[in-house]
Amino acid sequence: MRLRQVALATALFGLLCVPAQAGAAGSAAIGGRASTAPSWLFAQFAAPLGDAAADVPRSDSREILPENDGWAAADGGTTGGSTADAAHVFTVRNRSELVRALDGGSATPKIIQVAGTIDANTDDHGDHLDCADYATDGYDTKNYLAAYDPRTWGSAKPSGPQEEARQASAARQAERIELTVGSNTTIVGLGDKAVLKGASLQLKGADNVIVRNLELRDAYDCFPVWQPNTGGLGDWKTAYDNIWLRGATHVWIDHVTLSDKGHPDENEPTHFGRNYLRHDGLLDITNASDLVTVSWSRFADHDKAILIGNGDTATGDRGKLRVTLHHNEFDSVVQRAPRVRFGQVHLYNNRYVVPADAHDYRYSLGVSTESALYAENNAFHTPGHIEVADLVKSWNGTAVHQSGTLFNGYPVDLLAIYNAYNSGSERDLTADVGWTPTLHTKIDSAATADREVARGAGAGRIP
């Protein structure tokens, strides 16, 4: 019997074995609310880990993805660490405790409750580490820039002492901030101010993972690499996403907030004519990851938000990358909200806000190779210099379904307008994406969802 079936069986067993007078029935899933069994059901699991009351698991730490809530509900659903025994329920307050709880990415069912702010850029004693602490083998930013200036270095890939020193320094930082999340894990923030700062959660080959009620901010790369581009300007490439799914399956991300808070890239200098980027994606879903639901979350103040599928030649992604994005807010995001290759992606009841002073906005919906994006009842707020046709960008894409789109309060046919404005430069997109979503919660009008998402999306807002 699969773990997800075991979880449900365990819950049913608890209901049968605990006296009826011990508590009342739990609530059903409504909108952004996940199914909650009565608190007394969890008594058998809730042995405190120490004397602090905060160590007692909160009831929603064992919540599982509600039935039919997006692609992650398929094929047995997503239950995370809901079956964890008392010895594998942890409350963590610093990086060292978090690393121990993650257990090297083991598949042992576990619940990890994050209390307060955890800084991933710390040593084993809890002291903060900055970029200078990671630098080794003579790495120096000024020397790196001098060594690989395109005017003297040319268009070759960087090599030699400074690039080797950069790689060694980057490895030292990666050792601290890349945190491996294994299968059958729930990570949940306690209260409304749980923060994971500077970390990159890595779900590589993991199955059955839940991340909820957590703010993940500023996965800052101390050592970006220069990537020349023959015939072009080249660009700076950074290493870390706040959350990166690689070959991960059955993942539910809910009520999280992801941003660059603390170190916005717009404040970074320009080198070689390009912004010295320090952040990659907020959430990347790549390498044949599958059956993912992202709900009631907030993506803010960032360039590239969500990448689904990482390459046009990654044909192993065919039949995978099935993702649902609903009731999320994209605020001050430049692009990739999301950008899709290959996957069947259901995008409904999301809210997009482009600020009035945004002059670097590129697009929201990226339609790329063999993508099948099905967009319903999404609301967009933009300043006057951004047109409806700007919301979509196509690279080798052929189709996008859209209905119920609201643009600055007015209903629009996003596909028809895109085709009319871009027919001279890009091929027309058709409306037939080859599939119709069946796994989803109630789909509200764009106007209703717009209001609800503004009030309820992000960390600290679980009803």
Side-chain angles (χ1 to χ4, degrees), residues 118-163:
I118 294 179
D119 185 356
N121 286 292
T122 53
D123 63 19
D124 289 341
H125 302 289
D127 295 325
H128 179 72
L129 299 171
D130 59 24
C131 294
D133 294 313
Y134 295 124
T136 188
D137 295 351
Y139 176 83
D140 178 83
T141 302
K142 289 183 178 179
N143 291 341
Y144 187 90
L145 294 172
Y148 306 114
D149 189 324
R151 293 171 296 183
T152 54
W153 178 261
S155 60
K157 182 179 178 180
S159 62
Q162 273 299 304
E163 171 58 16

Side-chain angles (χ1 to χ4, degrees), residues 101 149 165 173 269 296 318 351:
D149 189 324
Q173 184 185 20
W296 294 95
R318 286 174 179 152
R351 166 183 164 89

Side-chain angles (χ1 to χ4, degrees), residues 330-402:
F330 297 89
D331 186 359
S332 302
V333 167
V334 175
Q335 57 186 315
R336 296 185 183 177
R339 179 177 177 178
V340 183
R341 295 179 177 95
F342 295 102
Q344 292 182 338
V345 176
H346 191 196
L347 184 79
Y348 73 90
N349 282 170
N350 298 285
R351 166 183 164 89
Y352 294 80
V353 180
V354 181
D357 59 352
H359 298 291
D360 56 352
Y361 173 82
R362 294 188 61 189
Y363 68 91
S364 293
L365 310 184
V367 182
S368 299
T369 302
E370 297 186 31
S371 63
L373 179 61
Y374 199 103
E376 295 183 274
N377 297 17
N378 299 292
F380 296 84
H381 302 268
T382 76
H385 66 277
I386 295 175
E387 304 286 349
V388 174
D390 297 327
L391 304 179
V392 176
K393 177 68 176 176
S394 175
W395 298 263
N396 301 319
T398 60
V400 59
H401 170 93
Q402 76 81 41

Side-chain angles (χ1 to χ4, degrees), residues 232-247:
L233 285 175
D235 211 347
W236 293 99
K237 182 174 176 58
T238 54
Y240 308 116
D241 306 310
N242 293 55
I243 306 177
W244 188 7
L245 278 58
R246 285 179 287 175

Side-chain angles (χ1 to χ4, degrees), residues 117-420:
T117 298
I118 294 179
D119 185 356
N121 286 292
T122 53
D123 63 19
D124 289 341
H125 302 289
D127 295 325
H128 179 72
L129 299 171
D130 59 24
C131 294
D133 294 313
Y134 295 124
T136 188
D137 295 351
Y139 176 83
D140 178 83
T141 302
K142 289 183 178 179
N143 291 341
Y144 187 90
L145 294 172
Y148 306 114
D149 189 324
R151 293 171 296 183
T152 54
W153 178 261
S155 60
K157 182 179 178 180
S159 62
Q162 273 299 304
E163 171 58 16
E164 292 169 2
R166 188 204 64 79
Q167 293 179 22
S169 302
R172 285 162 60 94
Q173 184 185 20
E175 183 182 1
R176 305 307 297 178
I177 73 171
E178 290 185 345
L179 304 176
T180 301
V181 180
S183 300
N184 310 319
T185 298
T186 292
I187 302 175
V188 60
L190 292 176
D192 58 1
K193 294 181 180 179
V195 178
L196 189 52
K197 176 183 176 183
S200 177
L201 293 183
Q202 307 264 319
L203 282 63
K204 185 176 181 180
D207 177 68
N208 194 34
V209 176
I210 294 173
V211 181
R212 302 188 74 210
N213 196 44
L214 186 64
E215 179 181 353
L216 297 107
R217 70 168 72 143
D218 192 23
Y220 186 87
D221 188 348
C222 288
F223 308 101
V225 60
W226 174 244
Q227 291 192 324
N229 180 10
T230 301
L233 285 175
D235 211 347
W236 293 99
K237 182 174 176 58
T238 54
Y240 308 116
D241 306 310
N242 293 55
I243 306 177
W244 188 7
L245 278 58
R246 285 179 287 175
T249 54
H250 289 105
V251 178
W252 180 32
I253 297 170
D254 176 68
H255 282 95
V256 302
T257 297
L258 303 102
S259 75
D260 299 343
K261 186 175 181 179
H263 288 100
D265 280 338
E266 64 183 21
N267 291 345
E268 296 293 333
T270 297
H271 296 307
F272 308 156
R274 305 293 280 179
N275 185 215
Y276 193 52
L277 296 175
R278 299 291 192 152
H279 303 91
D280 194 9
L282 294 177
L283 169 63
D284 277 12
I285 303 170
T286 66
N287 300 86
S289 292
D290 200 19
L291 304 179
V292 178
T293 297
V294 182
S295 56
W296 294 95
S297 293
R298 187 168 186 268
F299 301 82
D301 305 314
H302 187 79
D303 185 357
K304 305 175 182 71
I306 303 177
L307 179 65
I308 302 175
N310 60 320
D312 292 344
T313 61
T315 55
D317 288 343
R318 286 174 179 152
K320 307 291 185 181
L321 299 176
R322 292 174 290 179
V323 179
T324 299
L325 300 166
H326 74 83
H327 294 93
N328 302 293
E329 181 175 61
F330 297 89
D331 186 359
S332 302
V333 167
V334 175
Q335 57 186 315
R336 296 185 183 177
R339 179 177 177 178
V340 183
R341 295 179 177 95
F342 295 102
Q344 292 182 338
V345 176
H346 191 196
L347 184 79
Y348 73 90
N349 282 170
N350 298 285
R351 166 183 164 89
Y352 294 80
V353 180
V354 181
D357 59 352
H359 298 291
D360 56 352
Y361 173 82
R362 294 188 61 189
Y363 68 91
S364 293
L365 310 184
V367 182
S368 299
T369 302
E370 297 186 31
S371 63
L373 179 61
Y374 199 103
E376 295 183 274
N377 297 17
N378 299 292
F380 296 84
H381 302 268
T382 76
H385 66 277
I386 295 175
E387 304 286 349
V388 174
D390 297 327
L391 304 179
V392 176
K393 177 68 176 176
S394 175
W395 298 263
N396 301 319
T398 60
V400 59
H401 170 93
Q402 76 81 41
S403 59
T405 303
L406 207 61
F407 180 78
N408 290 332
Y410 294 92
V412 296
D413 187 331
L414 179 58
L415 179 59
I417 295 173
Y418 170 83
N419 285 337

